[in-house]
Amino acid sequence: MDMQVSFLDRLFEAGLLIDTGVEGLYGRSGQFEDVIAAFERLIDRFGGADGAEAIRFPPGMNRAYFEKSGYMKSFPQLAGTVHSFCGCELDHVSLMKCMDEGGDWTGEQKATDIVLTPAACYPLYPTVAKRGRLPAEGGLYDLQSYCFRHEPSTDPARQQLFRMREYVCMGTQDHVTDFRQRWMDRGVQMMDAVGLTVEIDVANDPFFGRAGRMLANNQRDQNLKFELLIPVTSAAKPTACMSFNYHQDAFGTKWGLELEDGSTAHTACVGFGLERIALALFAHHGLDVKDWPAHVRKALWG
Amino acid sequence: MNETIRGLVTKFGGLPVAVDQIADDADLYSAGLSSFASVQLMLGLEDAFDVEFPDTLLNRKSFSSINAIAATLTQILDKRDVA
């Protein structure tokens, strides 16, 4: 049995995660949620004084915004769309018959106006663009959402529905790259406070196909993405628990985000994989939080 | 070769300036070549020259200028001739 399955089994046995029969789709215990809530408070302590505007979107976004975002160009394999039955009573009879016979009843489902949110910040850009030009000090936003990525796996650190906490910064190139560097420093400090050993490395997104290989190489060549890595299920392949992304003016151009002087905004975001951080804590300090080192418990629960 | 490349840059590059105003050694990214356009250009070059770029050459440098593209293609075509 490989390490990943055994850690997942231990999490199930301890009741921290709850098996639903689908890989990467799990329930969470109260204890697991309490660790995430405590870590989010730690994030607040590090970032709260920055004065970010808090916004919470549900885990679904406007399909039109999703289409415009270009997500399907880069990550068609990860996207999840919401479909519903939109037929008449006669169609319903056919549907019931098909389900009774064990047939594929999903083919007649129609796409709704909702797509599952792939990253917490995706609904933000069109929302901010609608407000008009950014104020002189730029924009800073605090987001958290469940996100969906279709990548079934027995690695508990690769879930299909997981929470992402994010700060997004909009402004000049210097403004947003300073923001990104500040959070790389803070990320290391935060993980140190909870007793986790980390490394930061340049990274790329999982772009689709051979064309994606080129996009990934471009992203690395330009140092656009860094990840904070912590061993969770493997010391050799540590898990990305935070990411630090500089989008240049790509989102600014796409969504028409303008600075006070009318120039195109640059954007950057820092993301926390909340389940991954909780899993790193459980993997490193043990499955019973009562046994965690005192300084870690103090950092999380005061 | 450079003229064929110029034709493909015109078709796939989406540049805001006419390609004939761009020198062979000018930086195409500075001229407005986006990441996605460079991917389209890469696929167009593969089709036109009947080659497949190896992963090691799928980077910004390979497509950074008309000359760089020509050098990248020459490298692949030479290897194929040797093989």
Side-chain angles (χ1 to χ4, degrees):
Chain A
M1 185 180 286
D2 66 78
M3 279 295 290
Q4 289 178 358
V5 172
S6 80
F7 185 48
L8 182 60
D9 284 344
R10 285 172 57 218
L11 291 160
F12 286 159
E13 280 166 25
L16 289 163
L17 291 184
I18 298 151
D19 190 2
T20 68
V22 176
E23 288 179 356
L25 182 71
Y26 308 122
R28 287 98 164 110
S29 72
Q31 182 64 81
F32 192 92
E33 290 301 287
D34 190 38
V35 169
I36 287 190
F39 194 85
E40 285 212 83
R41 287 194 297 273
L42 183 66
I43 297 172
D44 293 337
R45 289 205 290 281
F46 273 80
D50 296 347
E53 176 185 346
I55 304 179
R56 295 291 180 266
F57 292 103
M61 66 179 287
N62 183 330
R63 177 156 64 95
Y65 292 159
F66 172 84
E67 288 164 359
K68 186 174 171 182
S69 76
Y71 193 82
M72 292 303 277
K73 273 190 194 173
S74 300
F75 314 107
Q77 78 282 22
L78 299 179
T81 49
V82 178
H83 287 63
S84 288
F85 171 75
C86 301
C88 63
E89 288 178 19
L90 203 57
D91 296 325
H92 184 224
V93 173
S94 305
L95 173 73
M96 289 296 96
K97 184 164 178 287
C98 183
M99 290 185 84
D100 282 346
E101 292 168 353
D104 177 15
W105 60 274
T106 60
E108 295 301 314
Q109 297 280 99
K110 297 279 186 284
T112 66
D113 290 334
I114 296 174
V115 172
L116 296 175
T117 303
C121 61
Y122 267 62
L124 177 72
Y125 304 104
T127 303
V128 172
K130 269 199 296 196
R131 294 177 178 176
R133 287 184 179 178
L134 287 157
E137 69 275 15
L140 184 64
Y141 310 91
D142 165 355
L143 306 162
Q144 198 253 51
S145 174
Y146 259 99
C147 299
F148 175 83
R149 292 185 189 173
H150 181 240
E151 41 183 359
S153 168
T154 53
D155 177 356
R158 186 168 296 287
Q159 299 187 14
Q160 297 200 65
L161 273 159
F162 58 94
R163 270 160 295 179
M164 187 187 295
R165 175 80 180 265
E166 271 194 80
Y167 285 104
V168 178
C169 183
M170 303 180 183
T172 61
Q173 176 173 353
D174 285 349
H175 181 69
V176 306
T177 52
D178 284 353
F179 156 87
R180 184 174 72 154
Q181 184 59 52
R182 187 159 59 250
W183 273 106
M184 283 165 72
D185 298 341
R186 284 174 174 173
V188 174
Q189 289 167 28
M190 291 173 75
M191 297 308 174
D192 184 54
V194 294
L196 294 173
T197 309
V198 308
E199 56 179 296
I200 288 188
D201 202 1
V202 68
N204 61 264
D205 287 310
F207 295 108
F208 183 74
R210 278 192 69 246
R213 193 67 237 149
M214 182 153 155
L215 292 172
N217 288 338
N218 289 352
Q219 195 179 27
R220 281 179 172 268
D221 287 349
Q222 297 177 91
N223 288 334
L224 297 180
K225 184 181 192 75
F226 289 91
E227 288 176 343
L228 181 148
L229 305 161
I230 307 175
V232 177
T233 51
S234 156
K237 280 189 178 173
T239 298
C241 292
M242 290 181 70
S243 73
F244 313 89
N245 307 285
Y246 171 43
H247 316 126
Q248 300 169 306
D249 61 356
F251 285 131
T253 302
K254 178 169 296 294
W255 295 108
L257 295 164
E258 289 180 347
L259 303 181
E260 195 188 32
D261 64 3
S263 60
T264 301
H266 285 232
T267 60
C269 68
V270 50
F272 298 82
L274 295 176
E275 279 78 5
R276 287 183 169 186
I277 291 167
L279 290 168
L281 288 163
F282 284 115
H284 201 79
H285 300 312
L287 298 187
D288 187 343
V289 297
K290 291 196 292 293
D291 296 336
W292 289 7
H295 74 277
V296 173
R297 292 179 53 82
K298 187 163 190 311
L300 289 170
W301 287 285
Chain B
M1 180 186 276
N2 281 17
E3 282 318 299
T4 312
I5 295 171
R6 283 179 174 279
L8 293 165
V9 172
T10 303
K11 188 171 174 190
F12 296 108
L15 301 182
V17 292
V19 174
D20 57 17
Q21 288 175 22
I22 294 175
D24 280 349
D25 61 353
D27 187 304
L28 293 174
Y29 295 102
S30 302
L33 183 68
S34 70
S35 275
F36 273 111
S38 71
V39 169
Q40 299 296 320
L41 175 60
M42 181 268 284
L43 295 172
L45 288 161
E46 287 194 339
D47 195 38
F49 289 91
D50 191 24
V51 294
E52 186 168 311
F53 291 100
D55 278 3
T56 49
L57 293 176
L58 291 178
N59 54 47
R60 276 173 81 77
K61 197 163 153 255
S62 301
F63 302 90
S64 58
S65 68
I66 308 272
N67 280 347
I69 294 170
T72 305
L73 284 169
T74 304
Q75 192 181 333
I76 297 169
L77 294 168
D78 282 356
K79 256 194 197 148
R80 189 163 65 179
D81 288 346
V82 171

Short mmCIF file of all heavy atoms in Angstrom, two decimals, chain A residues 231-277:
data_model
loop_
_atom_site.label_atom_id
_atom_site.label_comp_id
_atom_site.label_asym_id
_atom_site.label_seq_id
_atom_site.Cartn_x
_atom_site.Cartn_y
_atom_site.Cartn_z
N PRO A 231 6.17 19.00 3.12
CA PRO A 231 5.93 17.57 2.98
C PRO A 231 4.61 17.18 3.67
O PRO A 231 4.39 17.53 4.83
CB PRO A 231 7.11 16.93 3.72
CG PRO A 231 8.15 18.00 3.80
CD PRO A 231 7.40 19.30 3.86
N VAL A 232 3.73 16.52 2.95
CA VAL A 232 2.48 16.03 3.55
C VAL A 232 2.46 14.50 3.43
O VAL A 232 2.53 13.80 4.43
CB VAL A 232 1.23 16.64 2.87
CG1 VAL A 232 -0.05 16.05 3.47
CG2 VAL A 232 1.22 18.16 3.05
N THR A 233 2.37 13.98 2.21
CA THR A 233 2.36 12.54 2.04
C THR A 233 3.71 12.02 1.55
O THR A 233 3.93 10.82 1.51
CB THR A 233 1.27 12.10 1.03
OG1 THR A 233 1.43 12.87 -0.15
CG2 THR A 233 -0.10 12.33 1.61
N SER A 234 4.61 12.93 1.16
CA SER A 234 5.90 12.50 0.63
C SER A 234 6.95 13.57 0.90
O SER A 234 6.71 14.76 0.66
CB SER A 234 5.77 12.26 -0.87
OG SER A 234 7.02 12.39 -1.51
N ALA A 235 8.11 13.14 1.42
CA ALA A 235 9.20 14.09 1.65
C ALA A 235 9.84 14.47 0.32
O ALA A 235 10.30 15.59 0.13
CB ALA A 235 10.23 13.49 2.59
N ALA A 236 9.84 13.52 -0.63
CA ALA A 236 10.49 13.77 -1.91
C ALA A 236 9.67 14.72 -2.78
O ALA A 236 10.21 15.49 -3.56
CB ALA A 236 10.71 12.45 -2.65
N LYS A 237 8.34 14.61 -2.65
CA LYS A 237 7.46 15.47 -3.43
C LYS A 237 6.57 16.27 -2.48
O LYS A 237 5.41 15.91 -2.25
CB LYS A 237 6.57 14.62 -4.34
CG LYS A 237 7.24 14.13 -5.60
CD LYS A 237 6.18 13.51 -6.50
CE LYS A 237 6.76 13.05 -7.81
NZ LYS A 237 5.76 12.31 -8.58
N PRO A 238 7.11 17.35 -1.91
CA PRO A 238 6.31 18.12 -0.97
C PRO A 238 5.11 18.78 -1.66
O PRO A 238 5.09 18.98 -2.87
CB PRO A 238 7.30 19.17 -0.44
CG PRO A 238 8.36 19.26 -1.47
CD PRO A 238 8.44 17.92 -2.12
N THR A 239 4.10 19.11 -0.86
CA THR A 239 2.83 19.62 -1.39
C THR A 239 2.81 21.14 -1.36
O THR A 239 3.22 21.77 -0.38
CB THR A 239 1.68 19.08 -0.51
OG1 THR A 239 1.68 17.65 -0.61
CG2 THR A 239 0.34 19.62 -0.95
N ALA A 240 2.30 21.73 -2.43
CA ALA A 240 2.16 23.20 -2.48
C ALA A 240 1.01 23.61 -1.57
O ALA A 240 -0.14 23.27 -1.82
CB ALA A 240 1.88 23.64 -3.91
N CYS A 241 1.33 24.32 -0.50
CA CYS A 241 0.30 24.74 0.46
C CYS A 241 -0.05 26.22 0.31
O CYS A 241 -1.06 26.68 0.81
CB CYS A 241 0.77 24.45 1.87
SG CYS A 241 0.88 22.67 2.21
N MET A 242 0.84 26.97 -0.33
CA MET A 242 0.54 28.37 -0.66
C MET A 242 1.09 28.62 -2.06
O MET A 242 2.06 27.99 -2.47
CB MET A 242 1.24 29.35 0.30
CG MET A 242 0.68 29.37 1.71
SD MET A 242 1.58 30.59 2.74
CE MET A 242 1.02 32.15 2.02
N SER A 243 0.47 29.56 -2.78
CA SER A 243 1.07 29.97 -4.05
C SER A 243 1.05 31.49 -4.14
O SER A 243 0.19 32.15 -3.53
CB SER A 243 0.36 29.33 -5.24
OG SER A 243 -0.89 29.91 -5.46
N PHE A 244 2.02 32.01 -4.87
CA PHE A 244 2.25 33.45 -4.96
C PHE A 244 2.34 33.78 -6.44
O PHE A 244 3.32 33.41 -7.09
CB PHE A 244 3.55 33.83 -4.25
CG PHE A 244 3.67 33.21 -2.87
CD1 PHE A 244 4.25 31.95 -2.72
CD2 PHE A 244 3.20 33.87 -1.75
CE1 PHE A 244 4.36 31.37 -1.47
CE2 PHE A 244 3.31 33.30 -0.50
CZ PHE A 244 3.89 32.05 -0.35
N ASN A 245 1.33 34.44 -6.95
CA ASN A 245 1.22 34.57 -8.41
C ASN A 245 1.22 36.02 -8.85
O ASN A 245 0.47 36.84 -8.31
CB ASN A 245 -0.09 33.92 -8.87
CG ASN A 245 -0.21 32.50 -8.36
OD1 ASN A 245 0.44 31.59 -8.85
ND2 ASN A 245 -1.02 32.31 -7.33
N TYR A 246 2.06 36.33 -9.83
CA TYR A 246 2.05 37.65 -10.44
C TYR A 246 1.49 37.48 -11.85
O TYR A 246 2.05 36.74 -12.66
CB TYR A 246 3.48 38.22 -10.46
CG TYR A 246 3.63 39.48 -11.28
CD1 TYR A 246 2.68 40.51 -11.20
CD2 TYR A 246 4.73 39.67 -12.10
CE1 TYR A 246 2.82 41.65 -11.95
CE2 TYR A 246 4.88 40.82 -12.85
CZ TYR A 246 3.92 41.81 -12.77
OH TYR A 246 4.06 42.95 -13.52
N HIS A 247 0.37 38.13 -12.13
CA HIS A 247 -0.33 37.93 -13.41
C HIS A 247 0.09 38.97 -14.45
O HIS A 247 -0.55 39.03 -15.51
CB HIS A 247 -1.84 38.06 -13.22
CG HIS A 247 -2.37 37.33 -12.01
ND1 HIS A 247 -3.14 37.94 -11.04
CD2 HIS A 247 -2.25 36.05 -11.62
CE1 HIS A 247 -3.47 37.07 -10.10
NE2 HIS A 247 -2.94 35.91 -10.42
N GLN A 248 1.08 39.79 -14.14
CA GLN A 248 1.42 40.95 -14.98
C GLN A 248 0.13 41.74 -15.22
O GLN A 248 -0.65 41.92 -14.29
CB GLN A 248 2.09 40.49 -16.28
CG GLN A 248 3.39 39.72 -16.03
CD GLN A 248 3.93 39.05 -17.27
OE1 GLN A 248 3.23 38.29 -17.92
NE2 GLN A 248 5.19 39.28 -17.59
N ASP A 249 -0.11 42.19 -16.46
CA ASP A 249 -1.35 42.94 -16.70
C ASP A 249 -2.39 42.07 -17.42
O ASP A 249 -3.32 42.58 -18.03
CB ASP A 249 -1.07 44.22 -17.49
CG ASP A 249 -0.48 43.92 -18.86
OD1 ASP A 249 -0.21 42.74 -19.16
OD2 ASP A 249 -0.28 44.88 -19.63
N ALA A 250 -2.22 40.74 -17.32
CA ALA A 250 -3.11 39.83 -18.06
C ALA A 250 -4.57 39.99 -17.64
O ALA A 250 -5.46 40.16 -18.48
CB ALA A 250 -2.66 38.38 -17.87
N PHE A 251 -4.84 39.95 -16.32
CA PHE A 251 -6.23 40.11 -15.86
C PHE A 251 -6.69 41.56 -16.02
O PHE A 251 -7.85 41.83 -16.33
CB PHE A 251 -6.39 39.66 -14.41
CG PHE A 251 -6.36 38.16 -14.24
CD1 PHE A 251 -5.55 37.57 -13.29
CD2 PHE A 251 -7.16 37.34 -15.03
CE1 PHE A 251 -5.52 36.19 -13.12
CE2 PHE A 251 -7.13 35.96 -14.88
CZ PHE A 251 -6.31 35.38 -13.92
N GLY A 252 -5.74 42.48 -15.81
CA GLY A 252 -6.08 43.89 -15.97
C GLY A 252 -6.56 44.19 -17.38
O GLY A 252 -7.55 44.90 -17.60
N THR A 253 -5.87 43.62 -18.38
CA THR A 253 -6.25 43.82 -19.78
C THR A 253 -7.55 43.09 -20.09
O THR A 253 -8.45 43.65 -20.71
CB THR A 253 -5.12 43.30 -20.70
OG1 THR A 253 -3.91 43.99 -20.37
CG2 THR A 253 -5.46 43.50 -22.16
N LYS A 254 -7.64 41.85 -19.63
CA LYS A 254 -8.82 41.04 -19.95
C LYS A 254 -10.10 41.66 -19.41
O LYS A 254 -11.12 41.71 -20.08
CB LYS A 254 -8.65 39.63 -19.38
CG LYS A 254 -9.86 38.73 -19.63
CD LYS A 254 -9.59 37.29 -19.30
CE LYS A 254 -8.53 36.65 -20.14
NZ LYS A 254 -8.90 36.51 -21.55
N TRP A 255 -10.04 42.15 -18.17
CA TRP A 255 -11.26 42.64 -17.53
C TRP A 255 -11.39 44.15 -17.56
O TRP A 255 -12.39 44.69 -17.08
CB TRP A 255 -11.31 42.14 -16.07
CG TRP A 255 -11.42 40.65 -15.99
CD1 TRP A 255 -10.45 39.77 -15.61
CD2 TRP A 255 -12.56 39.84 -16.34
NE1 TRP A 255 -10.91 38.48 -15.69
CE2 TRP A 255 -12.19 38.50 -16.13
CE3 TRP A 255 -13.85 40.13 -16.80
CZ2 TRP A 255 -13.07 37.43 -16.38
CZ3 TRP A 255 -14.72 39.07 -17.04
CH2 TRP A 255 -14.33 37.75 -16.83
N GLY A 256 -10.39 44.85 -18.10
CA GLY A 256 -10.47 46.31 -18.14
C GLY A 256 -10.30 46.94 -16.76
O GLY A 256 -10.99 47.90 -16.42
N LEU A 257 -9.38 46.38 -15.96
CA LEU A 257 -9.11 46.95 -14.64
C LEU A 257 -8.16 48.12 -14.81
O LEU A 257 -7.04 47.94 -15.33
CB LEU A 257 -8.46 45.90 -13.73
CG LEU A 257 -9.32 44.69 -13.38
CD1 LEU A 257 -8.46 43.56 -12.82
CD2 LEU A 257 -10.40 45.09 -12.38
N GLU A 258 -8.62 49.32 -14.39
CA GLU A 258 -7.81 50.51 -14.61
C GLU A 258 -7.41 51.17 -13.30
O GLU A 258 -8.20 51.21 -12.35
CB GLU A 258 -8.59 51.52 -15.46
CG GLU A 258 -8.74 51.06 -16.91
CD GLU A 258 -9.52 52.06 -17.75
OE1 GLU A 258 -10.15 52.98 -17.17
OE2 GLU A 258 -9.49 51.93 -18.99
N LEU A 259 -6.19 51.68 -13.28
CA LEU A 259 -5.74 52.46 -12.14
C LEU A 259 -6.34 53.86 -12.22
O LEU A 259 -6.99 54.22 -13.21
CB LEU A 259 -4.21 52.52 -12.12
CG LEU A 259 -3.49 51.16 -12.10
CD1 LEU A 259 -1.98 51.34 -12.05
CD2 LEU A 259 -3.96 50.35 -10.88
N GLU A 260 -6.09 54.64 -11.19
CA GLU A 260 -6.69 55.98 -11.12
C GLU A 260 -6.32 56.83 -12.34
O GLU A 260 -7.13 57.63 -12.82
CB GLU A 260 -6.21 56.67 -9.84
CG GLU A 260 -7.03 57.89 -9.48
CD GLU A 260 -6.40 58.65 -8.33
OE1 GLU A 260 -5.15 58.65 -8.22
OE2 GLU A 260 -7.16 59.25 -7.55
N ASP A 261 -5.09 56.63 -12.89
CA ASP A 261 -4.65 57.44 -14.04
C ASP A 261 -5.09 56.83 -15.38
O ASP A 261 -4.68 57.31 -16.44
CB ASP A 261 -3.12 57.62 -14.00
CG ASP A 261 -2.37 56.29 -14.17
OD1 ASP A 261 -3.03 55.24 -14.38
OD2 ASP A 261 -1.12 56.31 -14.08
N GLY A 262 -5.87 55.76 -15.33
CA GLY A 262 -6.37 55.18 -16.57
C GLY A 262 -5.48 54.08 -17.15
O GLY A 262 -5.86 53.43 -18.13
N SER A 263 -4.30 53.89 -16.55
CA SER A 263 -3.43 52.81 -17.06
C SER A 263 -3.96 51.46 -16.58
O SER A 263 -4.74 51.38 -15.62
CB SER A 263 -1.98 53.03 -16.60
OG SER A 263 -1.92 53.03 -15.19
N THR A 264 -3.53 50.39 -17.27
CA THR A 264 -4.02 49.06 -16.95
C THR A 264 -3.39 48.54 -15.65
O THR A 264 -2.18 48.65 -15.46
CB THR A 264 -3.69 48.09 -18.10
OG1 THR A 264 -4.31 48.60 -19.28
CG2 THR A 264 -4.21 46.69 -17.82
N ALA A 265 -4.22 48.01 -14.78
CA ALA A 265 -3.72 47.50 -13.49
C ALA A 265 -2.94 46.20 -13.68
O ALA A 265 -3.27 45.38 -14.53
CB ALA A 265 -4.89 47.25 -12.55
N HIS A 266 -1.88 46.06 -12.90
CA HIS A 266 -1.24 44.77 -12.73
C HIS A 266 -1.89 44.10 -11.51
O HIS A 266 -2.40 44.79 -10.63
CB HIS A 266 0.27 44.93 -12.50
CG HIS A 266 1.02 45.28 -13.76
ND1 HIS A 266 2.11 44.58 -14.19
CD2 HIS A 266 0.79 46.25 -14.69
CE1 HIS A 266 2.54 45.09 -15.33
NE2 HIS A 266 1.76 46.12 -15.65
N THR A 267 -1.87 42.77 -11.50
CA THR A 267 -2.48 42.06 -10.36
C THR A 267 -1.56 40.94 -9.88
O THR A 267 -0.74 40.43 -10.62
CB THR A 267 -3.86 41.46 -10.73
OG1 THR A 267 -3.69 40.52 -11.80
CG2 THR A 267 -4.85 42.53 -11.16
N ALA A 268 -1.74 40.63 -8.60
CA ALA A 268 -1.03 39.48 -8.01
C ALA A 268 -1.94 38.88 -6.97
O ALA A 268 -2.83 39.57 -6.44
CB ALA A 268 0.28 39.93 -7.36
N CYS A 269 -1.77 37.61 -6.69
CA CYS A 269 -2.56 37.00 -5.63
C CYS A 269 -1.70 36.03 -4.84
O CYS A 269 -0.71 35.49 -5.34
CB CYS A 269 -3.79 36.29 -6.19
SG CYS A 269 -3.44 34.82 -7.18
N VAL A 270 -2.09 35.87 -3.57
CA VAL A 270 -1.48 34.84 -2.74
C VAL A 270 -2.61 33.92 -2.30
O VAL A 270 -3.66 34.38 -1.86
CB VAL A 270 -0.73 35.46 -1.54
CG1 VAL A 270 -1.59 36.46 -0.80
CG2 VAL A 270 -0.30 34.38 -0.56
N GLY A 271 -2.41 32.63 -2.47
CA GLY A 271 -3.45 31.67 -2.13
C GLY A 271 -2.98 30.70 -1.06
O GLY A 271 -1.83 30.25 -1.08
N PHE A 272 -3.89 30.41 -0.12
CA PHE A 272 -3.63 29.38 0.90
C PHE A 272 -4.52 28.19 0.59
O PHE A 272 -5.74 28.35 0.50
CB PHE A 272 -4.01 29.89 2.29
CG PHE A 272 -3.25 31.08 2.78
CD1 PHE A 272 -3.60 32.37 2.38
CD2 PHE A 272 -2.18 30.93 3.65
CE1 PHE A 272 -2.90 33.47 2.84
CE2 PHE A 272 -1.48 32.03 4.13
CZ PHE A 272 -1.85 33.30 3.71
N GLY A 273 -3.93 27.01 0.44
CA GLY A 273 -4.72 25.78 0.32
C GLY A 273 -5.05 25.32 1.73
O GLY A 273 -4.23 24.70 2.40
N LEU A 274 -6.26 25.65 2.21
CA LEU A 274 -6.56 25.47 3.64
C LEU A 274 -6.55 24.00 4.05
O LEU A 274 -6.01 23.65 5.10
CB LEU A 274 -7.89 26.13 3.98
CG LEU A 274 -7.88 27.66 3.82
CD1 LEU A 274 -9.27 28.23 4.08
CD2 LEU A 274 -6.86 28.31 4.75
N GLU A 275 -7.15 23.13 3.24
CA GLU A 275 -7.12 21.70 3.59
C GLU A 275 -5.68 21.18 3.58
O GLU A 275 -5.29 20.40 4.44
CB GLU A 275 -7.97 20.88 2.61
CG GLU A 275 -9.46 20.90 2.91
CD GLU A 275 -10.14 22.17 2.45
OE1 GLU A 275 -9.47 23.02 1.81
OE2 GLU A 275 -11.35 22.34 2.73
N ARG A 276 -4.90 21.63 2.61
CA ARG A 276 -3.52 21.15 2.53
C ARG A 276 -2.72 21.56 3.75
O ARG A 276 -1.90 20.81 4.26
CB ARG A 276 -2.85 21.69 1.26
CG ARG A 276 -3.36 20.99 0.01
CD ARG A 276 -2.66 21.48 -1.22
NE ARG A 276 -2.96 20.63 -2.36
CZ ARG A 276 -2.40 20.75 -3.55
NH1 ARG A 276 -1.50 21.70 -3.77
NH2 ARG A 276 -2.71 19.93 -4.53
N ILE A 277 -2.95 22.80 4.23
CA ILE A 277 -2.23 23.26 5.42
C ILE A 277 -2.66 22.44 6.63
O ILE A 277 -1.83 21.99 7.43
CB ILE A 277 -2.46 24.77 5.63
CG1 ILE A 277 -1.77 25.56 4.51
CG2 ILE A 277 -1.94 25.20 7.00
CD1 ILE A 277 -2.15 27.02 4.43
#
